[in-house]
Amino acid sequence: SSGINAEWPLRPGVLVIGDMHMPYRKAALPQKFKKLLVPGKIQHILCTGNLCLRETHDYLKNIASDVHIVRGDFDTNTSYPEQKVVTVGAFKIGLIHGHQVVPWGDHDAIATIRRQLDVDVMISGHTHKLEAYEKDGKFYINPGSVTGAYSALERDPVPAFILMDIQSNTLVTYVYSLANDEMEVKKIEFKKSVPEREE
């Protein structure tokens, strides 16, 4: 529908995606997502891992030249790091798969990792539970599973991905999900607090 196009940032954004589990749990990306995820629309890709296939890596590299991937517990590619810090504009962004978080998906445990990495935005996956929230002046994202693959915690998750649009100290997050093959887009704005200058 035309409404979807209106909810896509004008500038190429930052795609947050992960937990594909192809082809073991899901054969392919949803067709409606594939139509959106094309070259020229995305500048950076931050991937939470569990791609499971070399072809999935190549697919991401085809969409954007700047691709950052962390290693999931089902990734055989040992060259992916356990964690990564990426700077986009004014934002420092931390990226982990999330199987290291105990208990899985625990907000306090993720906040501890965020402090260790010293980042403004913390991205983790693994649970396949779509989340985007602000806590203690920082922003947290879990893009869920782009294929809607099941996990130990989510038996039937909705396919989802997140697109971030960064403008100076503002991060606009577009949350795309697909329930019953119907596309839904939610928009969340997060403003980074800028330290006051000493007089």
Side-chain angles (χ1 to χ4, degrees), residues 103-186:
W104 289 342
D106 182 76
H107 287 188
D108 291 333
I110 295 169
T112 301
I113 294 171
R114 187 211 62 74
R115 281 192 293 276
Q116 287 164 358
L117 296 179
D118 188 27
V119 291
D120 306 301
V121 181
M122 187 70 223
I123 298 170
S124 60
H126 186 61
T127 61
H128 302 198
K129 184 181 177 192
L130 179 62
E131 292 187 297
Y133 60 94
E134 191 174 335
K135 182 182 175 182
D136 299 330
K138 304 295 176 184
F139 201 65
Y140 294 82
I141 289 173
N142 184 328
S145 164
V146 67
T147 54
Y150 66 86
S151 76
L153 299 177
E154 296 283 319
R155 300 315 298 165
D156 197 19
V158 293
F161 69 87
I162 282 177
L163 198 70
M164 301 192 300
D165 184 30
I166 292 174
Q167 311 162 36
S168 62
N169 289 313
T170 304
L171 169 71
V172 182
T173 307
Y174 296 84
V175 181
Y176 291 82
S177 59
L178 207 54
N180 305 319
D181 208 38
E182 282 298 311
M183 184 91 75
E184 197 181 289
V185 189
K186 286 195 184 97

